[in-house]
């Protein structure tokens, strides 16, 4: 009996040690993801930052009318569709199979095959579109008397070329993620940002090229980026197509092609329908609100996912992976809601600051719907990991197609009566449904113990604080900013009162606050954040 008790005591102690070691390793992984997210975020934001930096120029009536800005909003989402169609989601297969143990010796072949198919697809689709730019122009702009109608075919040709190159450059950019080279990744995007920014300002202000100048600058920028990744392409290519690799890539990627295209349509139906029922001016207002709200995705969600996705795939065979996936959703929700709350609280001040045309204040109440849609979209992406591991990509396809059809009908129903606010509401509703559908299906095939009660607390606290904050929108800006800062600062403490954190999480949070709040040690702390490229 004494020996048995001794064995049990040792066993319990060993379990505690294993649990403690696992939690320590988990926090280490999450910290690494945060560091990677910052580095990837710099590059990712660089590509998107042009649109935000140039908002004061785009909304200046001297250079662009509200209809011009609405047209650029339509063209921006049209480019997203074209890149999705031309890319055929083959980069998803590259990410899935690149580190697979069975194909480690064929990584160059997998990369070359993915790149080759992407180039061929882009050329085929781009050629068809190029030959039909006249018909596309008539479909895109139906507003009579619009001054840029005659230039639109040329603008569309620029858009097609830019989208073709965008689909191609996506492949080496994903390779940089897989090889964990965020500095190289960010450098190419920063150079593209700088070139595009400078040329846009020059073409618009000095040469008065208008919308045409905007897309000429974008084309030059992406050509420069492609030249910068060319050495990487040459170094990592094996100029042969392996039949078995190709079949695996296509079988995995094929079910994702349609949802990638339809998923892009999910974000563009609203602008096309607003254009049909309300006109390009309302598209311009809506595009600004959507762009401001979408900063949450550009700056936070996409940056974290760039760092997180390869790690999630690497961990799929680890014994503790389900606990890790669960905590990813919890922490991601916590951080994203904090950022969403800050963006929603200060959106009025931001619009007033960046726009010179007071009419654009109409975009203010589009922003909260967009941020909540992004929040649930993030939850969907996190919960899809089970379907990806089990290779149930057809289910993902069915869900995306279903909610896209629903989004179309909701827009047709709500936009005529509610205008752009109906489109924003529709976007939020379909993202909630898409998360719920993916969660239910994923749990059937690969159950993960997500902490949904904690995610619910995040949603409730964030929403209540936002509703309190908008009560001060009509007060003086100085007072409004001060009050909203206090509201934002109360977010983590209200969650603490609601028992959101466990002991280890709270200790880590306090340690991080103690470390970074000491401004005297800021330089030392920054130096200690080291990153090693593998």
């Amino acid at each position: 009996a004494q020996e048995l008790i001794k064995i049990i005591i040792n066993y319990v102690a060993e379990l505690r040690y294993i649990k403690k070691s696992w939690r320590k390793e988990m926090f280490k992984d999450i910290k690494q993801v945060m560091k990677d997210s910052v580095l990837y975020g710099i590059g990712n934001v660089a590509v998107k930052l042009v649109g935000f930096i140039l908002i004061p120029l785009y909304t200046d009536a001297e250079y662009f009318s509200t209809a011009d800005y609405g047209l650029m909003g339509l063209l921006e989402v049209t480019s997203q569709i074209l890149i999705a169609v031309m890319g055929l989601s083959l980069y998803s297969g590259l990410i899935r199979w690149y580190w697979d143990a069975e194909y480690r010796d064929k990584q160059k072949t997998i990369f070359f095959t993915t790149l080759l198919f992407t180039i061929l697809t882009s050329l085929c689709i781009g050629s068809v579109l190029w030959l039909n730019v006249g018909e596309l122009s008539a479909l895109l702009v139906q507003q009579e008397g619009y001054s840029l109608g005659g230039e639109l075919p040329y603008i569309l040709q620029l858009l097609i070329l830019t989208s073709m190159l965008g689909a191609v450059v996506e492949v080496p950019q994903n390779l940089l993620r897989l090889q964990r080279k965020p500095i190289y990744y960010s450098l190419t995007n920063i150079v593209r940002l700088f070139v595009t920014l400078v040329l846009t300002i020059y073409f618009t202000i000095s040469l008065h090229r208008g919308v045409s100048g905007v897309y000429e600058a974008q084309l030059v920028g992406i050509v420069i980026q492609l030249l910068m990744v060319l050495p990487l392409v040459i170094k990592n290519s094996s100029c042969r197509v392996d039949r078995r690799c190709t079949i695996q890539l296509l079988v995995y990627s094929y079910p994702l092609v349609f949802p990638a295209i339809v998923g892009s349509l999910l974000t563009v139906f609203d602008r096309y329908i607003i254009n049909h029922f309300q006109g390009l001016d309302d598209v311009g207002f809506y595009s600004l609100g959507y762009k401001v709200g979408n900063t949450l995705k550009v700056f936070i969600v996409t940056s974290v996912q760039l760092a997180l996705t390869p790690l999630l795939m690497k961990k799929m065979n680890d014994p503790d992976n389900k606990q890790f996936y669960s905590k990813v959703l919890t922490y991601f929700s916590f951080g994203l809601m904090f950022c969403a709350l800050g963006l929603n609280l200060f959106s009025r001040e931001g619009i007033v600051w960046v726009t010179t045309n007071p009419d654009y204040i109409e975009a203010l109440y589009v922003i909260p719907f967009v941020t909540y849609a992004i929040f649930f979209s993030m939850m969907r992406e996190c919960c899809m990991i089970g379907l990806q591991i089990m290779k149930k990509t057809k289910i993902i396809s069915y869900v995306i197609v279903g909610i896209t059809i629903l989004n179309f009908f909701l827009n047709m129903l709500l936009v005529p009566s509610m205008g752009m606010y109906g489109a924003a509401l529709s976007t939020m509703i379909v993202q909630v449904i898409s998360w719920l559908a993916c969660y239910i299906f994923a749990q059937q095939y690969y159950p993960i113990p997500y902490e949904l009660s904690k995610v619910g607390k995040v949603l409730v606290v964030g929403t209540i604080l936002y509703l309190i904050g908008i009560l001060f929108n009509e007060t003086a800006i100085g007072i409004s900013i001060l009050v909203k800062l206090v509201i934002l600062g109360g977010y983590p403490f209200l969650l603490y009162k609601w028992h959101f954190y466990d002991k280890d999480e709270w200790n880590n949070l306090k340690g991080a606050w103690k470390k970074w709040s000491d401004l005297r040690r800021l330089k030392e702390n920054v130096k200690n954040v080291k990153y090693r490229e593998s």
Side-chain angles (χ1 to χ4, degrees):
Q2 289 178 345
E3 287 296 321
L4 181 61
I5 291 171
K6 185 177 179 181
I7 290 171
I8 292 172
I9 291 173
N10 289 336
Y11 180 70
V12 171
E14 185 175 351
L15 283 177
R16 287 178 176 174
Y17 175 76
I18 291 171
K19 184 178 180 182
K20 185 177 180 181
S21 299
W22 170 79
R23 293 183 72 87
K24 184 177 180 181
E25 186 66 26
M26 182 189 69
F27 283 120
K28 181 181 177 182
D29 286 336
I30 290 173
K31 287 178 182 177
Q32 187 61 57
V33 168
M34 291 173 66
K35 292 177 184 178
D36 289 0
S37 299
V38 172
L39 292 168
Y40 281 117
I42 293 171
N44 177 59
V45 168
V47 175
K48 307 290 185 181
L49 201 58
V50 174
F52 297 107
I53 293 175
L54 294 173
I55 284 177
L57 177 62
Y58 290 160
T59 56
D60 190 332
E62 182 180 348
Y63 300 104
F64 299 97
S65 66
T66 53
D68 290 340
Y69 190 63
L71 174 64
M72 287 191 286
L74 283 176
L75 294 176
E76 181 180 355
V77 294
T78 302
S79 178
Q80 293 173 16
I81 297 174
L82 293 181
I83 291 174
V85 173
M86 295 171 180
L88 288 180
S89 288
L90 289 172
Y91 65 87
S92 301
L94 175 65
I95 293 173
R96 171 60 181 84
W97 298 107
Y98 190 80
W99 288 114
D100 192 291
E102 187 180 354
Y103 291 93
R104 287 282 178 93
D105 60 336
K106 297 180 179 179
Q107 289 177 334
K108 291 186 176 182
T109 300
I110 293 173
F111 171 72
F112 176 75
T113 302
T114 305
L115 184 64
L116 179 63
F117 273 86
T118 303
I119 292 172
L120 292 176
T121 306
S122 299
L123 286 172
C124 292
I125 296 174
S127 299
V128 172
L129 294 173
W130 187 281
L131 296 173
N132 293 277
V133 289
E135 292 79 1
L136 292 173
S137 301
L139 287 173
L140 195 62
V141 176
Q142 302 173 0
Q143 185 168 313
E144 294 183 6
Y146 180 51
S147 59
L148 285 182
E151 293 183 41
L152 196 53
Y154 171 66
I155 294 172
L156 282 177
Q157 289 174 337
L158 294 172
L159 183 73
I160 292 167
L161 288 174
T162 304
S163 301
M164 290 170 62
L165 296 178
V168 173
V169 83
E170 192 76 18
V171 181
Q173 289 293 90
N174 275 286
L175 180 64
L176 289 172
R177 289 173 57 200
L178 289 166
Q179 295 182 349
R180 298 185 70 183
K181 294 181 177 179
I183 295 177
Y184 194 166
Y185 179 95
S186 297
L187 181 62
T188 61
N189 286 316
I190 290 170
V191 171
R192 176 180 168 183
L193 161 71
F194 180 76
V195 171
T196 305
L197 182 63
V198 171
L199 289 180
T200 300
I201 294 172
Y202 175 69
F203 290 157
T204 302
I205 296 177
S206 299
L207 301 183
H208 299 282
R209 297 285 297 154
V211 178
S212 298
V214 171
Y215 287 93
E216 288 166 348
Q218 289 186 14
L219 179 59
V220 175
I222 201 165
V223 168
I224 297 296
Q225 185 182 29
L226 196 58
L227 291 174
M228 290 184 68
V229 298
L230 190 58
L232 176 83
V233 171
I234 295 172
K235 181 180 178 181
N236 289 274
S237 294
S238 175
C239 297
R240 57 188 296 267
V241 177
D242 184 276
R243 183 174 177 273
R244 187 159 178 263
C245 288
T246 304
I247 292 173
Q248 288 278 21
L249 278 171
L250 294 177
V251 168
Y252 181 84
S253 301
Y254 170 71
L256 297 173
V257 173
F258 197 52
I261 297 169
V262 175
S264 297
L265 290 173
L266 181 65
T267 64
V268 305
F269 273 145
D270 45 16
R271 267 151 280 200
Y272 285 114
I273 294 173
I274 293 171
N275 180 40
H276 178 74
F277 286 108
Q278 307 290 332
L280 281 173
D281 289 335
D282 273 37
V283 175
F285 301 142
Y286 181 80
S287 295
L288 178 63
Y290 198 96
K291 186 179 289 290
V292 173
N294 203 47
T295 56
L296 194 66
K297 183 175 182 179
V298 172
F299 287 83
I300 308 298
V301 176
T302 304
S303 301
V304 173
Q305 287 176 340
L306 285 170
L308 187 60
T309 303
L311 180 60
L312 293 178
M313 290 301 177
K314 272 193 170 184
K315 276 190 163 290
M316 63 182 172
N317 295 317
D318 289 1
D320 62 346
N321 64 338
K322 291 187 178 182
Q323 290 295 327
F324 180 75
Y325 297 151
S326 174
K327 286 296 182 182
V328 163
L329 178 63
T330 303
Y331 297 151
F332 207 166
S333 300
F334 169 80
L336 187 60
M337 180 52 71
F338 178 77
C339 297
L341 177 60
L343 183 62
N344 289 332
L345 287 174
F346 296 102
S347 55
R348 170 178 169 260
E349 291 78 8
I351 290 176
V352 170
W353 181 58
V354 301
T355 60
T356 57
N357 188 340
D359 292 341
Y360 282 99
I361 200 66
E362 295 282 338
L364 178 60
Y365 293 107
V366 168
I367 298 169
F369 292 108
V370 175
T371 57
Y372 275 84
I374 291 169
F375 183 89
F376 282 100
S377 173
M378 174 278 297
M379 291 181 62
R380 182 193 70 214
E381 294 295 323
C382 287
C383 292
M384 279 198 312
I385 183 65
L387 295 173
Q388 291 169 332
I389 290 173
M390 300 304 293
K391 303 176 186 176
K392 300 294 182 180
T393 50
K394 286 186 179 179
I395 294 177
I396 299 173
S397 176
Y398 297 148
V399 170
I400 300 298
V401 171
I403 63 169
T404 303
I405 295 171
L406 175 62
N407 185 44
F408 175 78
F409 284 109
L410 282 176
N411 271 281
M412 294 295 290
L413 177 66
L414 297 175
V415 170
S417 58
M418 298 176 61
M420 59 183 174
Y421 302 112
L425 177 60
S426 172
T427 299
M428 186 184 75
I429 290 172
V430 297
Q431 292 297 355
V432 173
I433 294 173
S434 71
W435 161 71
L436 188 59
C438 278
Y439 172 78
I440 292 171
F441 284 119
Q443 291 298 90
Q444 291 177 1
Y445 292 99
Y446 197 81
I448 296 173
Y450 292 114
E451 299 175 316
L452 294 187
S453 61
K454 289 189 174 184
V455 177
K457 291 176 181 180
V458 163
L459 274 166
V460 170
V461 170
T463 302
I464 291 173
L465 290 176
Y466 167 66
L467 293 175
I468 294 172
I470 61 175
L471 297 175
F472 297 89
N473 269 354
E474 300 303 321
T475 59
I477 286 186
I479 297 174
S480 174
I481 290 175
L482 183 62
V483 172
K484 290 176 180 179
L485 284 173
V486 173
I487 292 172
L488 183 61
Y491 170 78
F493 297 102
L494 284 176
L495 286 172
Y496 172 74
K497 288 293 184 181
W498 204 357
H499 309 292
F500 175 82
Y501 317 98
D502 62 32
K503 185 178 179 180
D504 289 335
E505 291 167 349
W506 183 245
N507 288 336
N508 275 280
L509 198 61
K510 287 195 299 184
W513 171 257
K514 183 178 179 180
K515 177 179 178 181
W516 291 97
S517 62
D518 187 355
L519 297 180
R520 294 172 299 180
R521 299 180 57 192
L522 181 61
K523 186 176 180 180
E524 178 186 346
N525 290 334
V526 172
K527 285 183 177 180
N528 289 333
V529 178
K530 296 180 180 179
Y531 182 86
R532 295 180 180 179
E533 291 190 14
S534 59

